[in-house]
Amino acid sequence: MRTILVTGGAGFIGSHLVRYLLQQPGVRVVNLDALTYAGELQRLSELEGEPRYVFVHGRIEDEELVAQVCRRYEVEGIINCAAQTHVDRSILRADAFVETNVRGTYALLQVARQQRLRRFLQLSTDEVYGEASEGFRYAEDSPLQPSSPYAATKAAADHLVSAFVRTYGVPAFIVRSCNVYGPYQFPEKLIPMSICNALCDEPIPLYGDGLQRREWLYVEDLCRALWLLYERAEPGRVYNVSSQEERSNLEVVQAILQLLGKPQELIRPVPDRPGHDRRYAMESQRVAALGWRAEVPFAEGLQRTVRWYIEHRPWWERLRAAEYAQYRRQWYEGYLHSGQR
Ligand code: DAU
């Protein structure tokens, strides 16, 4: 039996990955998660009683705990999905981002180094490259020019990973993904926020002119890439994972409203967020050379996602009534309109 430590396994991407890994024969998963506002064990409720799955409540910054967990369960490698991920929140305050994304990654790398783990996959983001000009796509060796405090902490973590490879020979590698979407995504992100607001007949705030462009990847496609790379990536390398499904935010929201049969008038232009990158786009030739490509077209993935949110209303209604309600007021009704920078 091989044991893999997935950090942030109660989060959106992490929970899909835990489920995906457990479909692989001979794999046991230890899920270490701090259960912050975005971590939700309910995402994995069907795994109760699964003998190849262990949940540990704790923070990745806690090096001693991570070391204990790795020893106790004879962990062979780490997939680091634990992160503070919401760009807008990092604009309000980035303390938690520095703590989890930078200090946390450092603690995990320390354990990987001390216990000579076999693999270390750092999940990163296209945002570390900064804004991509029209017609240009970032390759893996492009320089890092993060724009938001969030992206800066992810870039810092990427640099730590590279330094640990070069200095200590830790067999780590970095996976940079474009925007991911699908079931169980926290309702603060553009796609679930638009679906949930529309289902509640509430306006959908669109930053600036809404013509910022992102590539959208269905979460199961990302999980396939992560597993393939965990098995086959070369230590020290960076792997971009992108879908080439580039859409403007306006197009995405329009498509959601159309699927739901809701009026386009629900779209509400609001002031742009500061430092907002207009476009991200990546080449992902390295993972393609290993046989991966995105399989779920955007139209199909979006349809599946919309259906899922319609069928799981109690799940997101509970989250929207909790901490998120306060954040929404602070961000949308306060900060964005205050002109405060
Ligand atoms: O690019 C990968 C990144 O995608 C990940 O590294 C981040 O962790 C993840 O949060 C996501 O960042 P974004 O800022 O792109 O995600 P979000 O879904 O929040 O926003 C997508 C686009 O929609 C972005 O251009 C901002 C815009 N937007 C978002 C919100 C929440 C709006 O126009 N209005 C909104 O209310």
Side-chain angles (χ1 to χ4, degrees), residues 85 125-127 150 179 189-190 205 207 249 273 276 332:
T85 65
T125 166
D126 55 6
E127 302 209 4
Y150 156 75
N179 279 59
K189 307 287 193 220
L190 179 70
Y207 300 152
N249 295 337
R273 75 178 180 206
H276 196 176
Y332 291 104

Side-chain angles (χ1 to χ4, degrees), residues 22-286:
L22 288 170
Q23 287 163 16
Q24 314 309 317
V27 171
R28 176 167 71 158
V29 176
V30 178
N31 169 10
L32 173 66
D33 197 293
L35 300 181
T36 64
Y37 80 91
E40 262 266 314
L41 279 178
Q42 216 188 312
R43 290 188 172 107
L44 293 169
S45 52
E46 83 275 13
L47 294 183
E48 235 168 83
E50 164 61 59
R52 291 186 296 124
Y53 170 69
V54 180
F55 172 70
V56 179
H57 184 198
R59 312 191 67 85
I60 58 168
E61 301 93 294
D62 187 345
E63 190 181 317
E64 216 175 288
L65 173 70
V66 176
Q68 261 171 28
V69 167
C70 288
R71 260 194 304 272
R72 171 160 179 207
Y73 296 105
E74 295 178 5
V75 164
E76 67 156 42
I78 296 177
I79 304 182
N80 182 22
C81 298
Q84 286 285 335
T85 65
H86 201 51
V87 176
D88 306 359
R89 288 183 190 248
S90 83
I91 294 170
L92 287 172
R93 269 200 87 86
D95 310 50
F97 292 75
V98 174
E99 206 33 45
T100 303
N101 302 357
V102 185
R103 265 222 43 94
T105 302
Y106 169 72
L108 295 174
L109 285 165
Q110 279 286 66
V111 175
R113 170 191 168 201
Q114 280 150 8
Q115 299 192 18
R116 297 180 188 283
L117 299 189
R118 209 170 66 71
R119 304 296 269 169
F120 188 105
L121 187 163
Q122 171 70 4
L123 183 55
S124 183
T125 166
D126 55 6
E127 302 209 4
V128 296
Y129 295 121
E131 183 167 284
S133 50
E134 213 44 59
F136 179 78
R137 315 189 76 81
Y138 286 115
E140 281 94 349
D141 55 3
S142 298
L144 307 193
Q145 285 190 299
S147 301
S148 69
Y150 156 75
T153 62
K154 291 300 285 181
D158 285 6
H159 284 311
L160 278 171
V161 171
S162 306
F164 269 65
V165 173
R166 189 164 158 88
T167 309
Y168 307 112
V170 171
F173 54 94
I174 296 165
V175 179
R176 297 196 178 126
S177 171
C178 63
N179 279 59
V180 182
Y181 70 100
Y184 278 125
Q185 189 168 29
F186 192 84
E188 65 192 353
K189 307 287 193 220
L190 179 70
I191 288 183
M193 181 274 290
S194 303
I195 300 171
C196 299
N197 282 23
L199 286 171
C200 297
D201 296 306
E202 289 174 11
I204 298 167
L206 199 62
Y207 300 152
D209 59 10
L211 300 181
Q212 305 85 359
R213 300 176 77 80
R214 301 284 183 268
E215 289 182 89
W216 294 95
L217 180 66
Y218 194 65
V219 63
E220 283 170 14
D221 276 332
L222 176 64
C223 290
R224 275 192 307 108
L226 292 176
W227 177 235
L228 176 73
L229 290 168
Y230 181 83
E231 291 287 66
R232 308 265 309 273
E234 254 179 63
R237 289 209 122 181
V238 172
Y239 294 82
N240 291 343
V241 176
S242 66
S243 64
Q244 322 275 312
E245 291 269 25
E246 198 178 322
R247 299 282 185 288
S248 74
N249 295 337
L250 180 63
E251 285 171 316
V252 170
V253 179
Q254 283 172 337
I256 289 169
L257 290 171
Q258 200 170 12
L259 282 170
L260 288 170
K262 296 284 185 179
Q264 298 289 329
E265 288 69 42
L266 280 179
I267 297 175
R268 170 83 41 91
V270 297
D272 206 351
R273 75 178 180 206
H276 196 176
D277 288 333
R278 294 290 291 178
R279 177 173 178 263
Y280 299 126
M282 297 189 297
E283 298 284 5
S284 26
Q285 277 157 354
R286 287 185 184 162

Side-chain angles (χ1 to χ4, degrees), residues 13-26:
I13 294 174
S15 61
H16 282 275
L17 182 66
V18 166
R19 219 174 284 115
Y20 188 87
L21 292 181
L22 288 170
Q23 287 163 16
Q24 314 309 317

